[in-house]
Amino acid sequence: MRLFHYHLVTSQLRDVEARYLGRLGFHLVARHGRIGENHRSFESGTSWEELDKIGFKLRLSEIERGAVNVVVQPGHWRIPRVDHLGFLLDDDEFEEVLTRATEWKLRVQEHAGRRTFVATNAGYRLEVHPPRDWIEELVADEEDLRLEQLHLRADDPREKAQALAALLGLETDGVEVDVDGTVVRFVPGGPEGRPELHAELFVP
């Protein structure tokens, strides 16, 4: 079980993207969006100035380094909020998560057979994957960079942590969950609903 991905929503997308690309050494996978009615994606090498000139409307920006994949999406909040956390599971773990979700009557969404989202009823979702070659290749690159800690500010840290631990079948001390060496910690003082990104600790 590995936490390999998180999806952020913010009104300061370009600044947030620049932080990852500049200060943290991530690379741009692609910016996805539209020009008119046409879906378009642009990889690294096309500047924001060029995209603005051709009328590109961003849907999301995907960035990556080592065993960490981050998506940033335009939204209402200056401080980024987490829409979902992404996990690679083995086949048994994947089925167990879906079984729990069904028993607890949590919403499960399938997207084109490639992605599965599970509601936590705690303001954020989980994106869960059975073994997939492209994710396994990503998490195998942890020698470059891996996520050791992810701190999220929430209105009810205990509720948020318990929701995560329960769905994944893990233990929690009340406000943090250890996912195979990556600690997700919920800290107080955040908003209702989606938790805010508070801090990250990356290690080589």
Side-chain angles (χ1 to χ4, degrees), residues 41-104:
S41 296
F42 294 88
E43 298 178 0
S44 181
T46 305
S47 69
W48 277 115
E49 289 75 15
E50 293 173 279
L51 294 176
D52 289 339
K53 287 179 180 177
I54 60 177
F56 178 71
K57 301 299 182 185
L58 182 76
R59 182 173 63 86
L60 57 84
S61 177
E62 182 180 3
I63 50 187
E64 196 170 276
R65 181 179 170 188
V68 185
N69 175 277
V70 179
V71 164
V72 189
Q73 174 185 329
H76 300 293
W77 303 287
R78 185 181 64 82
I79 299 175
R81 296 197 190 183
V82 172
D83 176 81
H84 63 263
L85 304 173
F87 298 89
L88 173 64
L89 311 174
D90 65 27
D91 287 316
D92 289 341
E93 291 167 340
F94 181 75
E95 291 302 325
E96 287 166 3
V97 168
L98 295 187
T99 297
R100 292 185 194 104
T102 300
E103 290 176 349
W104 300 341

Side-chain angles (χ1 to χ4, degrees), residues 8 10-18 31 48 58-61 72-75:
L8 305 175
T10 177
S11 62
Q12 307 298 309
L13 182 141
R14 297 190 189 190
D15 290 340
V16 172
E17 181 196 79
R31 297 182 181 118
W48 277 115
L58 182 76
R59 182 173 63 86
L60 57 84
S61 177
V72 189
Q73 174 185 329

Side-chain angles (χ1 to χ4, degrees), residues 7 19 23 35 59 83 98 116:
H7 185 116
R19 170 181 175 266
R23 291 176 55 192
I35 298 177
R59 182 173 63 86
D83 176 81
L98 295 187
T116 302

Side-chain angles (χ1 to χ4, degrees), residues 18-28 64-66 144-145:
R19 170 181 175 266
Y20 284 100
L21 297 179
R23 291 176 55 192
L24 298 177
F26 280 62
H27 70 271
L28 178 67
E64 196 170 276
R65 181 179 170 188
D144 176 54
L145 193 79

